[in-house]
Amino acid sequence: ATGAPQCRVESPFNCVAVRRGYTLTFTDSEALNACPQLRGRRNGPSCAVCVPISFMGRSLGVLHASGPREHLPTPQQVAQLTTLGTQAGARIGTVRAFAETQSKAATDSLTGLANRRTLEAEVSRLSRVAVPYALVMVDLDHFKRLNDTYGHEAGDAALRRFATIARACLRDGDTAARWGGEEFALLLPHASGAQALDVCERIRDELASTARGGVTPAFTASFGIVESNAEHSLEQLLRAADHALYASKHNGRDRATLGHFGSLADPPARTAMAGDSAINLKLIAEEI
């Protein structure tokens, strides 16, 4: 027995069999036309079979088997290895395609953050195992004005920039999600309201640094924070965080507000700001 195949190819794409796209058999590692990676192995001269693994024309890797030079593989063994490579490619490709589909279903395509459904599922999971958390609702300030002034590409760049900064400021286990439009949500397990405030301040500082660097047009964000409470549903938590967010808007934007439940029967803060007039509601929407 020769032990493990000992192939020293750093990447499957450096393998001659993968590059050629078909099974190769090397009868003698010392032959001039043998793969250079077969030479100098500690078990002496060898033979080998290399089977490229692919799925729908896309190379995934290589199946490599080797043995003593005097024990050449039979045609039947080569055929079996080739079949195994084909089956492995189909299985690996299917698993990868399924994983990509799952990832796309769970993330926002523009920012790469989790989407709303994913965050709601994580909130449900934390609630089932009784893990306390802080929930933060975020809204980019004057986003419509940014789009109107600099164009939608600049708006998309701002969304991606916020997503990058949010990821960098969160801990492992925290979740940042795009809630919709220019709204985001942060889920911070085992975090208090005060700790969530610190996170929001770090994000605000990074946004300010980005503005000074001129990477994207300057923009700020407003935050509303609420601590989880076993007595209240996710809908009530979101409502309380929404009140806190729009308190931040009302008090000048570019700030974080720690909310409380108070009377959840009150109208949402954004409605209270808008008043009863449809014209006022339009003006408020444009300013947000």
Side-chain angles (χ1 to χ4, degrees):
T2 60
Q6 306 168 28
C7 183
R8 297 188 297 272
V9 174
E10 294 182 358
S11 166
F13 304 103
N14 294 330
C15 174
V16 63
V18 172
R19 293 200 301 269
R20 294 184 183 180
Y22 55 83
T23 299
L24 292 179
T25 300
F26 301 99
T27 60
D28 187 349
S29 60
E30 303 305 310
L32 290 178
N33 63 346
C35 175
Q37 301 296 338
L38 292 174
R39 298 191 181 98
R41 296 190 176 184
R42 60 177 176 266
N43 293 313
S46 62
C47 60
V49 178
C50 298
V51 182
I53 297 176
S54 62
F55 180 70
M56 298 182 66
R58 179 182 178 184
S59 295
L60 302 176
V62 60
L63 172 63
H64 175 72
S66 65
R69 181 172 55 184
E70 60 272 17
H71 294 161
L72 296 178
T74 65
Q76 182 182 7
Q77 289 172 326
V78 174
Q80 289 173 337
L81 288 171
T82 301
T83 299
L84 179 60
T86 300
Q87 293 173 344
R91 178 63 60 87
I92 294 171
T94 300
V95 170
R96 286 190 176 181
F98 179 76
E100 290 176 1
T101 299
Q102 291 292 96
S103 176
K104 289 178 180 178
T107 58
D108 171 63
S109 59
L110 177 64
T111 63
L113 296 180
N115 59 23
R116 179 171 182 162
R117 181 170 53 183
T118 301
L119 185 132
E120 289 177 340
E122 181 62 10
V123 169
S124 296
R125 187 189 70 81
L126 293 178
S127 299
R128 286 196 304 271
V129 295
V131 172
Y133 58 87
L135 178 66
V136 184
M137 297 302 295
V138 190
D139 189 272
L140 304 192
D141 297 325
H142 298 299
F143 188 74
K144 183 178 183 301
R145 183 185 302 174
L146 186 151
N147 267 331
D148 291 345
T149 303
Y150 299 100
H152 289 284
E153 288 186 4
D156 288 348
L159 294 171
R160 287 191 293 266
R161 173 57 54 180
F162 179 85
T164 299
I165 290 173
R167 274 193 295 260
C169 291
L170 298 184
R171 309 161 301 174
D172 290 341
D174 294 342
T175 301
R178 187 178 179 194
W179 201 247
E182 68 273 22
E183 287 190 314
F184 296 84
L186 310 177
L187 180 63
L188 314 177
H190 299 290
S192 65
Q195 290 170 322
L197 276 170
D198 289 339
V199 172
C200 295
E201 289 306 308
R202 288 200 300 272
I203 295 175
R204 289 182 58 251
D205 288 344
E206 288 299 321
L207 286 175
S209 297
T210 298
R212 290 193 295 270
V215 177
T216 57
F219 68 93
T220 60
S222 298
F223 304 79
I225 304 166
V226 66
E227 294 181 355
S228 65
N229 187 314
E231 297 178 0
H232 297 97
S233 65
L234 174 58
E235 181 180 355
Q236 291 172 317
L237 288 170
L238 290 170
R239 189 178 180 87
D242 198 48
H243 273 265
L245 168 61
Y246 280 87
S248 293
K249 294 282 189 181
H250 183 74
N251 292 325
R253 300 179 177 84
D254 189 21
R255 66 193 64 220
T257 300
L258 179 57
H260 57 87
F261 288 96
S263 175
L264 293 174
D266 292 341
R270 69 182 80 190
T271 304
M273 288 172 60
D276 295 328
S277 169
I279 296 177
N280 286 342
L281 179 61
K282 179 180 180 182
L283 291 174
I284 290 294
E286 291 177 348
E287 284 302 307
I288 289 174

